[in-house]
């Protein structure tokens, strides 16, 4: 069976997000919550937004089978654990939905 064309993109998406979370894991709470002018906001808010949006997309695509997350309260480690679970879910979705018009 051939690999779905979007699988590489979503595999990279999850991989890159995990690397970003790993890079930010050693930062102090002060560094994670420091506002940065001209950006989305503090690093932690940006990370929460990225993983929260991913969870929201999975929630919508699966019709609620994947739960939404409380991104406003999650630590970097919790966000990473959530994102790790998204890898298998994205792969499953991409293999199950072969018709782009579905």
């Amino acid at each position: 069976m051939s690999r779905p064309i979007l699988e590489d993109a979503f595999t990279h998406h999850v991989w890159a997000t995990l690397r970003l979370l790993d890079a930010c894991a050693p930062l102090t709470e002060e560094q994670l919550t420091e506002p940065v002018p001209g950006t989305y906001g503090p690093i932690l808010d940006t990370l929460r937004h990225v993983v929260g949006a991913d969870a929201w997309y999975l929630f919508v695509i699966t019709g609620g089978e994947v739960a939404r997350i409380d991104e406003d309260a999650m630590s970097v480690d919790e966000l990473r654990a959530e994102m790790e679970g998204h890898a298998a879910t994205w792969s499953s979705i991409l293999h199950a939905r072969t018709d782009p018009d579905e």
Side-chain angles (χ1 to χ4, degrees):
M1 180 165 104
S2 67
R3 202 171 138 132
I5 194 165
L6 290 176
E7 188 166 1
D8 285 341
F10 280 91
T11 298
H12 183 268
H13 158 68
V14 172
W15 172 85
T17 303
L18 290 173
R19 296 300 71 78
L20 183 61
L21 290 161
D22 289 344
C24 293
L27 297 177
T28 66
E29 187 70 22
E30 182 181 356
Q31 290 170 316
L32 288 169
T33 58
E34 180 70 27
V36 181
T39 66
Y40 181 84
I43 294 168
L44 185 56
D45 287 355
T46 302
L47 296 173
R48 288 172 171 168
H49 172 71
V50 168
V51 177
D54 200 65
W56 182 84
Y57 286 124
L58 289 172
F59 172 81
V60 171
I61 290 168
T62 64
E65 291 176 24
V66 173
R68 297 201 53 202
I69 63 170
D70 181 12
E71 63 189 81
D72 294 333
M74 296 179 81
S75 69
V76 173
D77 290 339
E78 291 169 325
L79 293 167
R80 191 186 197 294
E82 182 69 30
M83 198 66 197
E84 281 180 328
H86 291 187
T89 307
W90 280 118
S91 181
S92 175
I93 289 168
L94 292 168
H95 283 280
R97 301 174 191 259
T98 56
D99 184 351
D101 294 326
E102 286 184 344

